[in-house]
DNA sequence: TGAAAACTCCCTACACCGTAGAGTATTGTT
DNA sequence: AACAATACTCTACGGTGTAGGGAGTTTTCA
């Protein structure tokens, strides 16, 4: 279900990511493709149809070769995914944001949100022991600079960045799932609720759960759905920055 | 990869969850098991070996029957997972916490964290349009009561609870992945880093990324690893509650 | 100018997955 | 005893990642 990055040979993954080339082969037929071709096709598949659709057979098929031929370019699927991740991480807009740390940090959160919404399959790739490709490192440095020189220790800087990026990932996950659920089930939120609510009313005891009854009803009416992920992101972002502000303020 | 809850027939799922029984059959052989037996076995498998190991064949095998026999109890795997989720959600400790909203909200966050760490496969089940079983509803009501009567609107209460639970889920996800990566790769963080760092040093340009170099080194030394998810959770929890406090304070 | 080496790519196979469809065994009712 | 209803099994399909071995193509060296 969840796919794991960094599972393959770290050496080979790093070589792929940083373009370190062992001396290239002299004899034998020329490869028809490059790793770059494969990565491009793979990202297209994952973006359009999700990580479930990204199989070795599918990638190979789109290139016009067989699954096993890919193993001449890439040691296994795990390393391929490592490369995909670092590739799209490079899409993060790493501009110098005018203003204070808060403006910069907000931009960091929004860029992380955007990245994950644009490439939802990223949310399914585990990030423990990530393979540190060039774009991943550039991103880490860029994000740290948002909170550099405002009185935080290195540890605090690292924790704050983790806090912000994790939040953005979680919020993006909710947004992506909400967007996909309609397509997956073939029913809009309205249609779903129309079928679901009469069934639920038979079993839900509004007297036993008065708070849930009131809040659930009001929230549903306000959102026009069970949840509104985009609004939740904006709401949480303010709380989050307020919370960091308390920390920063305590250093002054 | 990600598994989707609530994909099956909502009617049948709700019946399973709320124990609504169609009149039970008179003729034919007695069922050997109950849905409860199946759920218990399935949770044991998922807890011990993850959601990937939870196949219909595996559950059936553990019960001593064949995969297809399960379809007499449960319409499909999707509904089974719906039931699993509501079942473990019932483990949340819904006690009246002494103190103010902050103490209550902290308890909510910790219980969500604990639940997801204890049943890591929960993190792989999509939560859009969740099937609202009895335990899910009880949890929602319980959590809302933590922020009831402190001047927030219904919408704000809903958003705050979403903010807190989403945070706990994300933090738990990191903790679970960090714990699993060692088992999965057969290498401790130390071993991994010993093999990885010399390779990375060849490609990492400390002059190009001075902030990342300093912070990464200090953080690594402090944690004794690349990350410390438990510490990150505690750190973020304080920021998060501080941020909510700003909102609550503005209502006073 | 062969022959051999090196390389890319294909084919087959394995053990899994969820579940459709059809068949069999067991039980209760008439 | 006959029949109906149910529980369960068996087989099959199209999918997964990738191991192993063979086929075909290009370059190098004698």
């Amino acid at each position: 279900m969840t796919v794991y990055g960094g599972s393959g040979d770290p050496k080979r993954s790093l070589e792929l990511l940083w373009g370190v080339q062992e001396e290239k082969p002299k004899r034998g037929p020329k490869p028809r493709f490059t790793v770059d071709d494969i990565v491009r096709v793979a990202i297209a598949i994952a973006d359009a149809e999700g990580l479930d659709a990204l199989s070795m057979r599918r990638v190979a098929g789109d290139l016009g070769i067989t699954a096993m031929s890919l193993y001449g370019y890439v040691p296994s699927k795990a390393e391929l995914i490592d490369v995909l991740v670092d590739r799209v991480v490079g899409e993060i807009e790493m501009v110098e944001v005018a203003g204070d740390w808060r403006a910069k940090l907000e931009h960091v959160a929004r860029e992380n949100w955007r990245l994950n919404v644009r490439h939802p399959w990223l949310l399914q790739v585990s990030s423990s022991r990530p393979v540190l490709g060039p774009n991943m490192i550039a991103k880490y440095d860029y994000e740290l600079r948002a909170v550099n020189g405002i009185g935080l220790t290195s540890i605090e800087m690292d924790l704050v960045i983790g806090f912000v990026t994790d939040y953005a990932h979680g919020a993006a996950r909710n947004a992506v799932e909400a967007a996909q659920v309609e397509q997956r089930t073939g029913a809009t939120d309205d249609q779903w609720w129309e079928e679901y609510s009469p069934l639920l009313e038979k079993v839900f005891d509004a007297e036993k759960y008065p708070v849930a009854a009131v809040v659930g009803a009001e929230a549903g009416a306000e959102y026009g759905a069970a949840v509104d992920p985009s609004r939740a992101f904006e709401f949480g972002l303010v709380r989050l920055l307020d919370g960091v502000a308390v920390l920063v303020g305590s250093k002054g």
Side-chain angles (χ1 to χ4, degrees), chain A:
Chain A
M1 321 267 166
T2 298
V3 157
Y4 302 107
S7 308
D9 182 4
K11 186 160 177 287
R12 191 83 179 84
S13 274
L14 281 176
E15 285 172 0
L16 282 170
L17 282 163
W18 293 88
V20 176
Q21 55 215 4
E22 57 253 42
E23 75 283 354
K24 66 176 177 184
K26 299 293 179 191
R27 301 205 255 214
K30 298 290 176 209
R32 274 200 247 168
F33 309 104
T34 63
V35 173
D36 232 72
D37 294 328
I38 294 170
V39 167
R40 204 162 30 239
V41 165
I43 290 178
I45 294 170
D47 283 350
E49 300 172 52
L51 205 52
D52 291 339
L54 185 77
S55 71
M56 298 301 266
R57 282 175 176 81
R58 175 65 199 280
V59 173
D62 282 14
L63 285 165
I65 56 179
T66 63
M68 288 312 292
S69 303
L70 293 179
Y71 289 82
Y73 297 92
V74 159
S76 85
K77 193 184 182 184
E79 283 85 357
L80 174 58
I81 289 178
D82 286 345
V83 179
L84 301 192
V85 170
D86 195 72
R87 176 67 49 98
V88 297
V89 162
E91 293 176 10
I92 292 248
E93 194 184 84
M94 303 186 196
V95 297
E96 281 304 311
V97 173
D100 60 355
W101 64 267
R102 186 162 179 142
K104 293 185 210 288
L105 212 48
E106 183 175 332
H107 183 254
V108 166
R110 291 190 188 282
E111 279 299 305
N112 272 277
W113 156 280
R114 288 215 311 153
L115 178 68
N116 284 281
V117 167
R118 193 156 37 190
H119 304 291
W121 49 271
L122 272 178
L123 298 163
Q124 288 170 255
V125 180
S126 161
S127 52
S128 290
R129 287 192 200 163
V131 174
L132 298 175
N135 292 323
M136 198 77 93
I137 287 180
K139 173 176 182 278
Y140 183 52
D141 189 83
Y142 169 74
E143 291 174 343
L144 285 171
R145 273 185 276 134
V147 290
N148 197 21
I150 57 172
L152 302 183
T153 66
S154 284
I155 305 297
E156 286 169 334
M157 287 170 63
D158 179 73
L159 288 168
V160 166
I161 291 305
F163 184 49
V164 171
T165 56
D166 283 351
Y167 171 71
H169 292 185
R173 183 185 306 275
N174 292 340
V176 164
E177 284 179 1
Q180 286 173 344
V181 74
E182 181 171 325
Q183 186 184 356
R184 204 176 70 238
T185 61
T188 65
D189 276 336
D190 284 348
Q191 290 169 338
W192 175 77
W193 189 247
E194 199 171 334
E195 184 182 9
Y196 198 78
S197 58
L199 298 167
L200 189 60
E201 263 172 34
K202 283 192 207 154
V203 291
F204 177 64
D205 186 348
E207 293 189 12
K208 192 170 173 189
Y209 302 117
V211 187
V214 170
V215 174
E218 281 197 38
E222 174 92 4
Y223 303 152
V227 287
D228 183 342
S230 183
R231 177 166 181 175
F233 173 68
E234 297 296 336
F235 176 86
L237 185 54
V238 177
R239 300 319 131 218
L240 185 140
L241 294 171
D242 282 350
V244 174
V246 172
L247 174 69
V248 173
S250 74
K251 300 286 175 167

